Amino acid sequence: MTEKLASRIAGLKLGGIVAVLLIPMFILSFFMMQSLRHEIQFTELELDGVDFIRIAHPVMIGAAQGTIAGADIERLKQEGATLAAVLGIEDELSAALATIYSTGGDKRYAMAPLEDMLTSAAATSNIILDPYAETYYLGSAISLHVPDLLLDFSGSSTAQSRALRDGVLSQPEIVSILISVGNWQESHERLAESYEGGKAASGDQPEYAKLMEDIAELGTHPKNVARMFSKTEAADLVAGLAALPEFGALSGHIIADVNGVWMQAIDRLEGLLHNRLHGLYVQLALMLSMAAAVCLVGSGAAALMFRTTLRQLDTVQSAGEEAERARREAQASASELQKISDDVTRLNVDLSNNLKMLREAQDDNLRKGKMAHLGQLTATVAHELRNPLGAVRTSVFLLERKVKGKGLGIEAQLERINNGVTRCDNIISQLLDFARTKSLQIEMLDLDSWMTRLVEDEAEKLPQAVTVECQLGLSGVPAGFDPARMSRVLINLIHNASEAMTGKGEDPTKFTTQSPRITIQSRLGARGAEISVADNGPGIAEDVIGHIFEPLF
């Protein structure tokens, strides 16, 4: 009885070892399935956002035309409410519906709350946080850029319609219309950039051919209107508006074009998300099947080892020959157990490494999504700031005309306001440079001659104590570069070097560097023309130098 009990205990221990070996596989499978479930929920929420935009889009199109079909409003009120509850934007939907019901005949006044509603839907449904390039660009287009385009076009169209109705235009009204058309054109440029990004990410799929043609045609309308409003005589502008063939029909044609590119993008994005969701469900099914198979195989192996061990241990005899054989089997089992233990250790190490790689991949995806969202948010903030800045600039221009020659003594204050607006506009341009990369304007120029003129101009702006030396070795050698961006680089380097050595004053006793000197060199290197800017100042601190190429640092 004692031998049988011992043999059963030994068999149970061996089966337990096999079961322990399955634990790392279960843990790894659990984390992988959790990751799949999270991505499935993420994609399903995006599809809810796309469905909500599909329901809201005819209402937005109708508002741009000044009238909304009752069926479209009712569908937004019924089906849209269900999706709004899922997305958590019930308040935005209620505000938009309240504005629609309160605007009377002209529904264009409901466009702003409708755009706010679509922006909130894009944020809460993760559409603008999608980690994949093509779906991110399409999501930004249908939820942000197309509504922006409709809103800006409606503002321009309303101002032009008012001019036709009244038959007169004042200079401030001309400026206001030009600002509206400029916003309309800028919204179209952002929309075109999103579709170009989606096209590039898709590998230039043929589905984008018609879409890009429609986008290009849509871009001709604000350019034509802006070209017409570049005239200076208000009477000519009114006459030019009246001469447009069927102004109302043209507006309807533009809105129809916007509706076409909007629907194409919604259909493309919805198809991509459905394909992704199907693939995720397939992966999850395979994962569950593999986990079930591992459980069955492991359980069968444990049961088989248990029964085999019982049969072997139950036949142990007290004879010396059987004892010797049992001893040899025990030694073999000990060696096998040691091997199993080593395998368990290796599996645990592999599991730890895989979990670390999984966390790093998740962190990287999150970081990319945040950077894309930051770029989109920067472009949106810059767009919203330029409208009030344009109004301030226009008001200052009109004030200058009214007070000119009247001796009121406010010229200095007006100049200070103009300088402040210019500075804010430069900051916005830098934000937009970060949000979207502009094409380089390459020119072939004599690099040394160009640098000589630039350095001479900037040297006059530095404190007299700063010595600027030029050691130029590319005389007569042409180089291809963007003069505007290159001048910004060199001006920043020169002035940063001067401020690091002298601060912002002229008193040499307060300088951080005695005999401050800036040396600018040009030479021909292995990679082409090279420029170096060096100073004898204190240099960049060690805790700062590692961050100088980070965005907006």
Side-chain angles (χ1 to χ4, degrees):
M1 291 296 294
T2 302
E3 291 179 352
K4 288 186 177 181
L5 180 61
S7 66
R8 281 167 172 75
I9 292 174
L12 287 173
K13 288 181 178 180
L14 193 57
I17 291 173
V18 176
V20 169
L21 291 176
L22 298 175
I23 292 177
M25 301 182 67
F26 286 135
I27 294 175
L28 181 60
S29 299
F30 172 79
F31 279 106
M32 293 179 69
M33 284 190 288
Q34 284 292 98
S35 178
L36 281 174
R37 285 184 64 252
H38 175 74
E39 193 166 356
I40 287 172
Q41 293 172 351
F42 189 98
T43 306
E44 287 176 341
L45 193 59
E46 283 189 88
L47 281 169
D48 288 337
V50 173
D51 289 340
F52 183 84
I53 292 172
R54 185 184 291 277
I55 292 172
H57 114 270
V59 179
M60 188 77 173
I61 291 292
Q65 294 172 325
T67 179
I68 307 174
D72 293 336
I73 298 177
E74 191 63 23
R75 186 184 179 200
L76 179 62
K77 183 178 178 181
Q78 300 297 328
E79 299 179 25
T82 302
L83 291 171
V86 175
L87 300 175
I89 58 170
E90 298 96 327
D91 292 341
E92 289 81 357
L93 176 60
S94 298
L97 288 173
T99 307
I100 289 172
Y101 289 129
S102 65
T103 51
D106 191 348
K107 301 300 183 182
R108 283 177 290 186
Y109 296 103
M111 292 191 67
L114 284 170
E115 184 195 37
D116 292 340
M117 178 185 69
L118 291 178
T119 301
S120 299
T124 57
S125 65
N126 302 321
I127 287 177
I128 57 175
L129 299 177
D130 194 291
Y132 299 93
E134 184 179 5
T135 45
Y136 163 74
Y137 283 117
L138 290 176
S140 299
I142 70 169
S143 61
L144 299 176
H145 302 324
V146 174
D148 273 349
L149 179 64
L150 279 174
L151 186 61
D152 292 334
F153 164 74
S154 178
S156 172
S157 178
T158 301
Q160 295 171 56
S161 298
R162 187 166 55 248
L164 278 175
R165 182 196 65 198
D166 299 337
V168 64
L169 270 177
S170 65
Q171 191 64 30
E173 288 176 320
I174 294 174
V175 174
S176 175
I177 292 175
L178 283 173
I179 291 174
S180 298
V181 174
N183 293 337
W184 174 19
Q185 190 166 357
E186 187 175 350
S187 297
H188 173 268
E189 290 173 358
R190 288 200 303 273
L191 179 63
E193 287 175 1
S194 292
Y195 284 141
E196 285 286 357
K199 177 184 177 184
S202 71
D204 201 11
Q205 290 293 324
E207 289 85 349
Y208 280 90
K210 178 65 167 60
L211 184 60
M212 299 312 297
E213 290 178 2
D214 293 344
I215 285 291
E217 180 183 352
L218 190 60
T220 61
H221 302 304
K223 293 179 181 178
N224 292 335
V225 175
R227 189 179 302 113
M228 181 181 65
F229 274 86
S230 64
K231 299 178 181 179
T232 57
E233 295 296 327
D236 292 340
L237 289 176
V238 174
L241 281 174
L244 284 175
E246 295 295 328
F247 179 78
L250 177 61
S251 298
H253 176 65
I254 293 172
I255 294 175
D257 288 348
V258 175
N259 182 52
V261 299
W262 200 357
M263 283 304 302
Q264 290 179 67
I266 290 175
D267 293 340
R268 174 71 178 176
L269 177 59
E270 187 176 44
L272 291 173
L273 291 176
H274 275 301
N275 290 339
R276 184 196 302 172
L277 189 62
H278 175 72
L280 291 173
Y281 276 122
V282 170
Q283 292 182 43
L284 184 60
L286 290 175
M287 185 68 66
L288 291 173
S289 300
M290 291 176 61
V294 169
C295 289
L296 291 175
V297 171
S299 300
L304 180 62
M305 294 181 69
F306 176 68
R307 294 184 60 186
T308 302
T309 303
L310 283 181
R311 285 197 298 269
Q312 291 177 349
L313 294 179
D314 285 345
T315 58
V316 176
Q317 302 295 328
S318 60
E321 182 178 352
E322 292 296 323
E324 182 63 18
R325 184 170 63 84
R327 185 182 65 82
R328 290 196 297 270
E329 289 178 355
Q331 289 179 342
S333 297
S335 176
E336 186 68 17
L337 288 175
Q338 182 61 43
K339 181 179 178 182
I340 292 173
S341 178
D342 293 339
D343 291 340
V344 171
T345 301
R346 284 193 298 271
L347 284 174
N348 286 331
V349 172
D350 291 342
L351 175 61
S352 177
N353 292 335
N354 289 336
L355 292 176
K356 181 179 179 181
M357 292 171 62
L358 179 61
R359 283 194 296 269
E360 291 175 352
Q362 291 174 337
D363 291 343
D364 185 61
N365 282 339
L366 181 59
R367 186 160 50 252
K368 289 178 179 178
K370 287 182 177 179
M371 285 304 293
H373 182 54
L374 176 60
Q376 182 62 48
L377 181 60
T378 300
T380 302
V381 170
H383 170 64
E384 294 299 329
L385 285 177
R386 268 196 167 146
N387 288 339
L389 281 178
V392 171
R393 192 188 301 275
T394 302
S395 299
V396 172
F397 171 77
L398 295 175
L399 283 174
E400 286 177 338
R401 291 184 59 184
K402 289 184 177 181
V403 303
K404 184 176 180 181
K406 294 184 178 180
L408 298 179
I410 64 172
E411 287 78 8
Q413 288 82 354
L414 292 176
E415 183 179 0
R416 192 155 52 246
I417 294 174
N418 270 326
N419 292 338
V421 172
T422 301
R423 182 182 177 190
C424 291
D425 194 65
N426 290 336
I427 293 173
I428 291 173
S429 296
Q430 293 176 10
L431 286 173
L432 289 175
D433 283 345
F434 168 71
R436 64 176 186 264
T437 303
K438 295 182 178 178
S439 301
L440 293 175
Q441 304 298 321
I442 302 299
E443 298 181 23
M444 294 298 296
L445 301 174
D446 186 328
L447 183 59
D448 280 1
S449 298
W450 179 84
M451 286 179 57
T452 300
R453 293 191 297 271
L454 177 68
V455 173
E456 287 176 353
D457 291 341
E458 296 306 316
E460 294 177 358
K461 304 174 186 177
L462 303 179
Q464 293 183 357
V466 178
T467 301
V468 180
E469 297 179 358
C470 288
Q471 301 174 5
L472 306 180
L474 294 175
S475 178
V477 177
F481 60 97
D482 185 330
R485 293 195 179 185
M486 184 66 77
S487 63
R488 187 189 302 177
V489 172
L490 290 176
I491 289 172
N492 285 343
L493 290 175
I494 292 171
H495 285 274
N496 287 346
S498 175
E499 291 180 6
M501 296 185 292
T502 68
K504 296 185 179 180
E506 296 281 348
D507 187 0
T509 62
K510 298 181 180 180
F511 291 178
T512 59
T513 302
Q514 298 300 319
S515 302
R517 183 179 66 257
I518 300 174
T519 303
I520 302 172
Q521 296 179 323
S522 66
R523 56 183 174 271
L524 188 62
R527 297 177 298 175
E530 297 179 354
I531 302 172
S532 68
V533 180
D535 61 74
N536 60 340
I540 302 176
E542 290 294 331
D543 58 341
V544 173
I545 196 168
H547 302 282
I548 62 175
F549 290 108
E550 293 178 3
L552 302 181
F553 180 78

